[in-house]
């Protein structure tokens, strides 16, 4: 059997209430997210990405970021909401 990756091993993309986007602790823009996340996926050896999104962000931004995660090589996305 294949063990599931632990949460701390996974690349994390965060969208805050003010629409700021982070890959890990690094602030990125929609334009730079793909390159930054691709590097993080390669560094961690994990294509399963956690998307932490504030509950107040727009659906459109969430979908755009999910598309960018896929473009960066994210094969699975776990969505985590927070406030």
């Amino acid at each position: 059997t294949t063990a599931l990756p632990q949460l701390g091993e996974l690349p994390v993309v965060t969208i805050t209430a003010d629409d700021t986007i982070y890959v890990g602790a690094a602030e990125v823009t929609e334009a730079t997210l793909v390159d930054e996340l691709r590097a993080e996926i390669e560094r961690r050896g994990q294509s399963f990405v956690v998307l932490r999104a504030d509950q107040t962000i727009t659906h459109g931004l969430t979908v755009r970021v999910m598309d960018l995660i896929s473009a960066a090589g994210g094969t699975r996305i776990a969505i985590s909401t927070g406030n």
Side-chain angles (χ1 to χ4, degrees):
T1 62
T2 302
L4 292 174
Q6 297 298 309
L7 186 60
E9 300 171 351
L10 300 175
V12 177
V13 175
T14 303
I15 309 171
T16 63
D18 65 356
D19 295 346
T20 304
I21 304 169
Y22 294 88
V23 172
E27 186 174 337
V28 298
T29 64
E30 288 184 56
T32 61
L33 188 149
V34 171
D35 289 339
E36 293 290 330
L37 182 56
R38 185 176 290 129
E40 185 72 0
I41 288 170
E42 290 176 10
R43 186 179 75 75
R44 291 183 178 267
Q46 293 287 345
S47 61
F48 191 133
V49 177
V50 176
L51 174 57
R52 291 189 177 144
D54 188 275
Q55 293 178 14
T56 63
I57 65 168
T58 65
H59 182 260
L61 178 57
T62 305
V63 171
R64 287 195 313 273
V65 169
M66 289 174 70
D67 286 345
L68 293 169
I69 289 171
S70 294
T75 58
R76 293 175 65 189
I77 302 170
I79 299 173
S80 172
T81 59
N83 47 13

